[in-house]
Amino acid sequence: MTKKLVYLTGPMAGLPNNNREQFEKAMRLLNEQFQYVSIVPVPDDGVSVTPEQFARDNAANMLMNCREVITMPDWESSPGAKRDVEVARLFDIPVTPISKYLPSEPFKNLH
């Protein structure tokens, strides 16, 4: 059975290292259940584009290829994550909190 492609969304801007460590932790944990987890990769060079510009330019295309959107804790505080959820709902892509798939202990400190 093929595992479905999912899109992980949550707060990034204003958090240390754009919350990269927490996204990577969530992705590692979700990869036990999903073949591939899609997150918005943020350029590390700090020169090409800002994380916000990169997300705005690429998130919709990545999201449209996924079968489900999984939200990180506190996603409601992120304008980008709220936009991702709105797009998903507009196209009838299911939106699910990460707590459905992960026990509370591993993800409770994800920001």
Side-chain angles (χ1 to χ4, degrees), residues 21-105:
E21 290 84 7
Q22 300 305 325
F23 271 86
E24 289 174 354
K25 179 180 179 181
M27 188 169 65
R28 280 191 310 275
L29 294 168
L30 289 170
N31 271 330
E32 294 173 6
Q33 299 176 49
F34 299 100
Q35 182 179 20
Y36 181 78
V37 178
S38 177
I39 63 170
V40 177
V42 179
D44 287 327
D45 61 17
V47 177
S48 57
V49 294
T50 66
E52 293 81 11
Q53 289 170 320
F54 188 88
R56 223 179 358 260
D57 293 346
N58 294 286
N61 287 334
M62 292 173 67
L63 192 151
M64 295 306 294
N65 290 314
C66 295
R67 297 292 170 246
E68 183 176 359
V69 171
I70 297 177
T71 56
M72 298 271 286
D74 201 29
W75 70 270
E76 298 95 339
S77 69
S78 166
K82 287 195 285 190
R83 184 176 50 249
D84 293 341
V85 168
E86 287 175 17
V87 170
R89 289 180 175 151
L90 180 65
F91 289 96
D92 294 322
I93 299 169
V95 176
T96 309
I98 198 169
S99 59
K100 176 180 177 183
Y101 297 110
L102 299 178
S104 60
E105 211 40 49

Side-chain angles (χ1 to χ4, degrees), residues 11-21 23 42-43 51-52:
M12 294 172 63
L15 295 171
N17 198 22
N18 291 309
N19 211 18
R20 179 183 295 276
E21 290 84 7
F23 271 86
V42 179
E52 293 81 11

